[in-house]
Amino acid sequence: MTTESTGQARSYPTGIGTSTTDRIELLGLDLADDVLGQVSFGELAYWLATKRRPTPGQLRVFEAALVSLADHGYTPTAIAARMTYYSAPDSIQGAIASGLLGGGSRFLGVTEDTGQFLAGIVQGLGDDPPSTEDGWDAVAREAVSAAKSDGRKVPGIGHPVHKHGDPRTPVMFRIAREAEVFGPHLALFEAIGRVHPEVLGRTLPLNGAGVAGAALADAGLPLGLLRGFALLARTAGLIGHLAEEQQNPVGPAIYAEVDRNATYVAPEQ
């Protein structure tokens, strides 16, 4: 039975925005009069995701995390965007989309994976989290030991380039402390950095994607959207790569390098 046949009115509620002939409303405000020129893009992104305005400290940490994730050189996401642009220069949206589609467990997705991992442990602590480094170390030691026993990786540690320390990590810790947004997720992540060598038998750096996930969780962002924020940040980096590709393309050289050095191996019959 359809809605029309029952006489019930359709309703698709949203608290994001709407528009009329002469007005655009966003989050309950007049976009032209109350938002334009008064709200930064970072603040608006936070507001849209949470339906609440961030505190100055939350906004500082949020924007710092976005900046930290914007670009990391010739990652697979950047190469994918450049190659798609070479193939379809008439489709800038396709090039950006192809780069974003590569945000997974190895690149960009680590932000959400780490946030979710930490949150699962923090939530299990209830209303009585540790108040000392030793207390957090004990929690971290148990968490890393459990992951090792289960054959799971601890997200947010290790990096293919920054073998001896990710330069973003200590800065994010400092900014969160200065902004008074250093909460249980960052405290636990910091403790994992201290104790994991004794459990795993090797020392790995706390990576930038991981600390961003911890920081975003402490800043009050929804855990299920953390990968979305990593993609939001990387969109800016991809636009930069595509702007560079328009001026000094490397896509043709990458294509030629692979094509000219491809080795055909016939499948066994």
Side-chain angles (χ1 to χ4, degrees):
M1 183 176 294
T2 66
T3 303
E4 291 87 349
S5 64
T6 61
Q8 296 176 353
R10 287 195 178 99
S11 177
Y12 304 101
T14 176
I16 301 298
T18 189
S19 60
T20 61
T21 303
D22 57 359
R23 174 185 168 90
I24 301 172
E25 188 169 309
L26 185 66
L27 297 168
L29 299 176
D30 185 292
L31 175 66
D33 292 340
D34 303 324
V35 181
L36 287 180
Q38 301 179 55
V39 177
S40 71
F41 180 74
E43 182 177 6
L44 180 61
Y46 186 106
W47 198 350
L48 285 166
T50 63
K51 300 290 182 67
R52 66 179 184 275
R53 298 188 77 162
T55 66
Q58 289 173 331
L59 180 59
R60 185 183 178 199
V61 169
F62 178 55
E63 292 188 332
L66 293 181
V67 171
S68 76
L69 297 171
D71 182 65
H72 211 281
Y74 276 123
T75 59
T77 59
I79 295 171
R82 286 178 179 253
M83 294 305 298
T84 302
Y85 181 77
Y86 174 50
S87 180
D90 53 313
S91 178
I92 193 78
Q93 71 274 20
I96 293 174
S98 68
L100 296 179
L101 288 171
S105 59
R106 291 183 176 174
F107 293 89
L108 295 176
V110 176
T111 296
E112 181 172 316
D113 295 343
T114 305
Q116 295 278 13
F117 175 80
L118 298 172
I121 299 166
V122 169
Q123 290 166 6
L125 299 175
D127 297 326
D128 190 29
S131 57
T132 65
E133 279 194 1
D134 287 344
W136 281 114
D137 285 357
V139 173
R141 193 175 292 110
E142 182 178 349
V144 176
S145 296
K148 180 181 179 181
S149 177
D150 294 341
R152 295 179 289 114
K153 291 184 177 180
V154 177
I157 63 174
H159 197 281
V161 177
H162 306 303
K163 301 293 188 181
H164 305 294
D166 192 316
R168 298 169 292 182
T169 301
V171 178
M172 285 300 302
F173 280 135
R174 174 178 59 78
I175 289 173
R177 284 190 165 97
E178 291 174 353
E180 298 182 347
V181 183
F182 192 97
H185 301 89
L186 282 165
L188 175 56
F189 192 56
E190 192 174 50
I192 288 173
R194 291 192 295 267
V195 307
H196 80 268
E198 65 187 74
V199 178
L200 302 181
R202 56 177 177 156
T203 300
L204 299 168
L206 297 177
N207 61 52
V211 75
L216 291 171
D218 275 344
L221 278 307
L223 296 174
L225 292 178
L226 296 190
R227 186 171 301 190
F229 298 123
L231 297 175
L232 173 65
R234 188 53 58 92
T235 299
L238 293 177
I239 289 173
H241 276 276
L242 294 173
E244 192 172 76
E245 191 68 16
Q246 290 176 344
Q247 299 298 318
N248 299 293
V250 300
I254 294 173
Y255 165 66
E257 171 68 18
V258 176
D259 183 61
R260 293 169 186 169
N261 292 285
T263 302
Y264 175 70
V265 179
E268 294 182 5
Q269 299 299 319

